[in-house]
Amino acid sequence: MSDTVSFFSGFAPRDLLFLGEAALRTMWISALSITMGSLLGAVFGWMLYEGKWVATLTLAPVLDVFRSVPLIIQLVLFYNFAPIVGLNLDPFASGVVILTIYTAALVANVARGGIEAVEPPMRRAARSLGMSYWQDMRHVVLPIGLRAVFPAWVGVALGVMKDSALVSVLGYVELLKASQILITRTQEPFLILTIAGAFYFALSYPISRYAAKLEQRWAQ
């Protein structure tokens, strides 16, 4: 009688290490996308504020597309369209590009709201003291506007970190993709997803706690 061949195996310590490495990949792609997207979004927000109707007719519709179209569709379309125009990008690079633009589209309105949060009389007072436009932006608008929109930006950052799981559709082995691989092999979805959720919590909680403490410090 021949032995039965088993295609499944139980959860092992090495699988926990595999999930940990995938969590680091999630953190890496999220950190790059959030950083670059926030900087780009700040520029877009400034353009929307200063550009008036010109930016409303040109830049705003483009940003609306990236905010409105589901992220998974953007990822799949870009990953398959990029080679047609000569961009041979791997799943990681494609994910960073789309997540960066997606983050920038979300941050743009946040940044514009931060600029608008500074009352015009305060800006006129800064200019009357001899400040240049860029000195006014740096010493008046940035400190006040940042405090006004910081909670909204934290919400965007945490959302993008969770949305980075969608890059798994391109084959990038981040936390969700690693979880799917292990679930297929171990047939233990509850255990795997619980551990994956714990990793997501470990990535997000320090950011939210630090943001809360920073807000308290600013309020004093």
Side-chain angles (χ1 to χ4, degrees), residues 122-168:
M122 187 175 296
R123 299 195 64 182
R124 287 196 295 268
R127 300 301 293 272
S128 68
L129 293 175
M131 288 187 180
S132 65
Y133 175 83
W134 295 112
Q135 288 175 328
D136 169 36
M137 292 294 293
R138 177 184 175 185
H139 298 290
V140 178
V141 176
L142 181 60
I144 298 175
L146 181 60
R147 295 186 183 190
V149 302
F150 184 70
W153 177 85
V154 172
V156 170
L158 293 177
V160 171
M161 179 178 293
K162 289 181 288 187
D163 289 340
S164 67
L166 296 175
V167 183
S168 62

Side-chain angles (χ1 to χ4, degrees), residues 41-61 63 67 105 107-110 112 115-116:
V43 174
F44 287 160
W46 172 78
M47 292 172 63
L48 289 173
Y49 178 80
E50 294 292 348
K52 305 302 180 184
W53 63 270
V54 176
T56 301
L57 294 177
T58 56
L59 179 60
L63 298 180
R67 281 195 298 266
V107 171
N109 276 342
V110 174
R112 180 175 63 177
I115 299 175
E116 292 175 347

Side-chain angles (χ1 to χ4, degrees), residues 173-186:
V173 185
E174 45 68 66
L175 190 51
L176 180 61
K177 184 68 173 181
S179 301
Q180 293 171 338
I181 294 172
L182 291 180
I183 290 173
T184 301
R185 200 200 75 215
T186 65

